Amino acid sequence: VDRFGTDAIYMKVDDKHFEVHAKVAVSDQFFGWLLGFGKRMKIIDPPEVVNEFKSYLDKIRGMYE
């Protein structure tokens, strides 16, 4: 609620997981925020944002090759 306000939809999946549906400004800053959660958060939709995040990760990984 602190990050997305009351316009977001929060749904319990099970005792250890939940989903959040929210409008966000897709940006490097947003992706950086996601990375702070490590493997505990995953973009599942829309596919174009999933692909944009994958490209973002590939660019970072490329810096270390």
Side-chain angles (χ1 to χ4, degrees), residues 1-63:
V1 174
D2 290 345
R3 182 63 64 173
F4 300 115
T6 57
D7 291 338
I9 299 169
Y10 304 87
M11 296 179 296
K12 181 178 177 179
V13 174
D14 58 37
D15 287 339
K16 295 184 179 185
H17 301 92
F18 64 95
E19 287 185 12
V20 177
H21 296 252
K23 292 183 180 181
V24 301
V26 178
S27 64
D28 287 357
Q29 183 176 359
F30 172 65
F31 291 150
W33 176 75
L34 288 175
L35 288 172
F37 290 94
K39 293 170 54 176
R40 296 177 295 147
M41 182 180 287
K42 180 179 179 180
I43 301 170
I44 57 173
D45 204 43
E48 55 272 11
V49 176
V50 172
N51 290 333
E52 192 173 340
F53 188 55
K54 287 178 181 179
S55 294
Y56 177 81
L57 294 172
D58 288 341
K59 288 177 189 175
I60 293 171
R61 188 175 322 131
M63 294 173 54

